[in-house]
Amino acid sequence: MTLGVIILTAFLIALAIGFPIRSHFIRRTPEISQPRRTFMLELGVCRFAGALLNAYNIIVYDLPFLSSLSMMIGCSVAGFFIGLDSALAQERKVIQVSMSWARTQPLPRRLFSMTRKFSFVALITTLFVALVLAMVFARDIVWLSKIGQDEASIVKAQLSVTYEIFFIMAVLMILVVNLIISFSSNLKLLFNNETRVLEQVSRGDLSRKVPVATNDEFGLIAGHTNNMIDGLRHRIQLISALKMAEEVQQNLLPGYDPQVSGLDISGTSIYCDETGGDYYDYFNLPDDRLGIVVADASGHGVGAAMHMTTVRAFIHFGIRDYQGPARLLSNVNTYVTRDSSQTGRFMSMFFLEIDPKSQLLRWVRAGHEPALFYEQAGKSFAELNGEGMVLGVDDKFQYDEFSQSGWNSSDIILIGTDGIQETRNENGVMFGHERLRDIIRRHADASAKTIQDTVIDSLRDFRGNASQEDDVTLVVVKLL
């Protein structure tokens, strides 16, 4: 009874001293560090209570050294279990608060592995249990050596030792089971914390993040999950922006093919990405002439699309004062070079002017694939060739104009980009010029739209499961 009062008094004093320390040592620290500090504080309080208890007993009762050592070990064991339980309770509180407020924190700077913590707790628990049992057995052996040797005394001693061992084992078992339940509760919260957000992500809801409440593997997984969510948000924003850019760029291309007397025209562009650098357009020129431009910016994707948009603006600006293909492309090249010479980007272009009345073709080839001219009567091919540098290299370069007069009914002109000939199949074989010419030859009696669709379908069939590596643009003109 006296010993119980002394122990209770010592612990009450230690708790009274530790209570004001709690607000400074625990509550004012980052939440992720509070469980560890809680364990340290509770262990320190119990050890301090043990020190007060030993000091009182040594002064008042002249306690022997071995007894004071046993008392400190007992307080350390009690502090270990109390501290662990309090730390797990504090961790549980931090997890619940983080989940309710959806708090997110950066990845923990220092990782305390859960397996390492579990191994440490299991090892220390085993050592403490073994130490307590060893101390009890040692004390009981000494005590048994001093009792009487009669049968009644021996039976009484055996029962006393048995009850004592069962009591100690029951207390230790309760403490261990309590830790297991507390630890399991925290694991369940952490699992629910993670899976709840991942389920929302799998349904497309990226509005929530996983609270980083621990500095172990769960905290690390939560941090990486949050980074993944940020990445998904960014990708969705990027995809939305690309979709908008795709819509804008499609609106920059002709919405329909022109209806010109004596001409059957069809054109299209198919990009390998959401946006591309290929471009084609039609222009109504003076004296019922028609201008056709097909261009290919270096590269593909957003950068090529922006470059294409800039060049398109220069062409539309220059066409208002149209004085021939060579003059137009020379002026456009001046502006393009000033804008893009430092970026290393350039653009090839083929500009064709068709005069149906006088049956005259005039063109400028700025580093682009030459247009194909198919003569129906002789079933032969020629190229609308000529020299010329790509746009965006030399702002002082002056382009030359080339011309051809006369044609027969059903002759065909095809202006395309290099994405047609350079389309590869799964074996790395290119589509090439001969396959394109063969399509024109076999479908020469068909309309321009049919020829265009046949070329596109043939490219798709030839490519098979291989991915499209470059943009494809072509304009088919059938001379009637």
Side-chain angles (χ1 to χ4, degrees):
M1 202 64 171
T2 303
L3 181 59
V5 172
I6 295 173
I7 293 175
L8 180 60
T9 303
F11 271 88
L12 288 176
I13 294 173
L15 288 173
I17 296 175
F19 185 78
I21 299 176
R22 182 181 297 274
S23 60
H24 296 276
F25 189 69
I26 296 177
R27 294 173 185 169
R28 295 187 181 181
T29 59
E31 292 181 343
I32 202 169
S33 302
Q34 289 181 4
R36 180 168 57 90
R37 294 214 167 193
T38 300
F39 172 77
M40 295 170 58
L41 179 61
E42 298 297 342
L43 179 61
V45 166
C46 290
R47 291 178 65 88
F48 179 69
L52 288 177
L53 183 60
N54 278 336
Y56 180 81
N57 286 334
I58 290 173
I59 295 172
V60 177
Y61 298 105
D62 194 20
L63 189 71
F65 173 75
L66 290 178
S67 296
S68 63
L69 181 62
S70 300
M71 187 65 69
M72 284 302 300
I73 293 175
C75 290
S76 297
V77 173
F80 175 77
F81 284 104
I82 294 173
L84 274 180
D85 188 60
S86 300
L88 290 172
Q90 182 66 31
E91 184 180 76
R92 191 158 50 250
K93 180 181 177 182
V94 170
I95 296 171
Q96 291 171 341
V97 171
S98 298
M99 292 175 62
S100 62
W101 290 92
R103 295 177 181 172
T104 57
Q105 300 180 23
L107 287 171
R109 296 181 180 179
R110 186 177 179 184
L111 181 65
F112 292 92
S113 172
M114 182 170 290
T115 55
R116 187 174 62 182
K117 288 192 290 186
F118 182 78
S119 300
F120 172 76
V121 170
L123 176 62
I124 298 300
T125 301
T126 302
L127 290 177
F128 276 155
V129 170
L131 183 59
V132 169
L133 291 177
M135 291 173 59
V136 170
F137 288 150
R139 188 182 66 83
D140 287 343
I141 289 173
V142 174
W143 175 65
L144 289 173
S145 65
K146 298 179 181 180
I147 65 172
Q149 298 301 314
D150 57 288
E151 184 177 352
S153 298
I154 293 174
V155 172
K156 184 178 179 181
Q158 289 175 344
L159 290 174
S160 178
V161 171
T162 302
Y163 293 152
E164 182 182 45
I165 292 175
F166 274 117
F167 174 76
I168 294 173
M169 292 298 295
V171 172
L172 292 175
M173 185 65 68
I174 291 172
L175 292 175
V176 172
V177 170
N178 178 64
L179 288 181
I180 293 173
I181 294 174
S182 184
F183 187 73
S184 300
S185 299
N186 288 13
L187 286 180
K188 184 179 180 180
L189 279 176
L190 291 170
F191 275 118
N192 292 338
N193 182 23
E194 184 78 26
T195 55
R196 179 174 54 84
V197 176
L198 289 178
E199 287 175 356
Q200 292 178 340
V201 172
S202 66
R203 293 193 295 266
D205 183 4
L206 304 178
S207 61
R208 299 291 296 272
K209 288 187 176 183
V210 184
V212 181
T214 59
N215 57 355
D216 51 22
E217 288 87 349
F218 280 98
L220 190 64
I221 293 173
H224 286 304
T225 301
N226 293 336
N227 291 339
M228 178 192 70
I229 292 174
D230 287 336
L232 289 174
R233 288 177 179 174
H234 177 70
R235 291 187 180 186
I236 290 176
Q237 292 173 355
L238 184 61
I239 290 173
S240 300
L242 286 175
K243 191 66 179 177
M244 183 177 294
E246 180 184 8
E247 293 176 0
V248 171
Q249 189 174 29
Q250 289 297 327
N251 291 331
L252 296 179
L253 298 176
Y256 54 88
D257 297 313
Q259 303 297 317
V260 179
S261 178
L263 302 177
D264 178 18
I265 304 172
S266 181
T268 187
S269 279
I270 300 175
Y271 297 139
C272 60
D273 295 327
E274 287 80 2
T275 56
D278 279 12
Y279 167 61
Y280 77 99
D281 212 341
Y282 309 114
F283 301 98
N284 293 318
L285 304 176
D287 301 326
D288 296 327
R289 291 172 294 168
L290 177 69
I292 302 176
V293 61
V294 174
D296 183 4
S298 57
H300 49 80
V302 177
M306 294 179 65
H307 193 205
M308 179 275 277
T309 304
T310 302
V311 175
R312 177 187 181 276
F314 289 143
I315 293 176
H316 277 258
F317 177 77
I319 208 76
R320 297 184 303 177
D321 188 26
Y322 182 75
Q323 298 179 20
R327 180 71 177 271
L328 173 65
L329 264 66
S330 295
N331 292 336
V332 169
N333 175 62
T334 300
Y335 294 118
V336 172
T337 305
R338 291 175 182 176
D339 280 358
S340 62
S341 61
Q342 300 300 320
T343 66
R345 290 189 174 275
F346 57 87
M347 173 177 279
S348 66
M349 181 177 290
F350 192 97
F351 188 94
L352 174 66
E353 177 195 295
I354 304 177
D355 187 349
K357 292 181 179 179
S358 61
Q359 291 193 337
L360 177 65
L361 303 176
R362 296 198 301 169
W363 69 88
V364 173
R365 177 173 172 251
H368 196 80
E369 288 277 321
L372 284 177
F373 185 93
Y374 178 69
E375 187 179 353
Q376 174 78 317
K379 299 187 183 302
S380 60
F381 284 92
E383 291 184 346
L384 303 185
N385 221 322
E387 297 181 353
M389 184 182 298
V390 293
L391 305 175
V393 176
D394 183 0
D395 61 346
K396 294 181 174 56
F397 187 84
Q398 297 297 312
Y399 290 90
D400 294 326
E401 180 181 294
F402 303 89
S403 63
Q404 175 180 314
S405 61
W407 61 69
N408 298 315
S409 178
S410 298
D411 288 350
I412 298 171
I413 301 173
L414 187 145
I415 313 170
T417 57
D418 56 8
I420 300 174
Q421 291 82 7
E422 294 178 2
T423 293
R424 297 179 182 271
N425 61 14
E426 296 170 334
N427 298 321
V429 179
M430 289 197 300
F431 188 78
H433 293 82
E434 289 305 317
R435 289 185 177 86
L436 178 61
R437 295 188 178 195
D438 184 60
I439 293 172
I440 297 173
R441 190 182 295 112
R442 286 188 290 108
H443 297 83
D445 294 330
S447 65
K449 182 70 166 66
T450 301
I451 296 173
Q452 170 206 290
D453 292 341
T454 303
V455 172
I456 297 300
D457 292 340
S458 300
L459 287 173
R460 188 179 296 110
D461 294 339
F462 176 80
R463 191 172 66 246
N465 294 326
S467 59
Q468 183 179 344
E469 298 178 351
D470 199 2
D471 305 328
V472 172
T473 297
L474 73 155
V475 175
V476 180
V477 181
K478 194 164 188 181
L479 307 170
L480 305 178

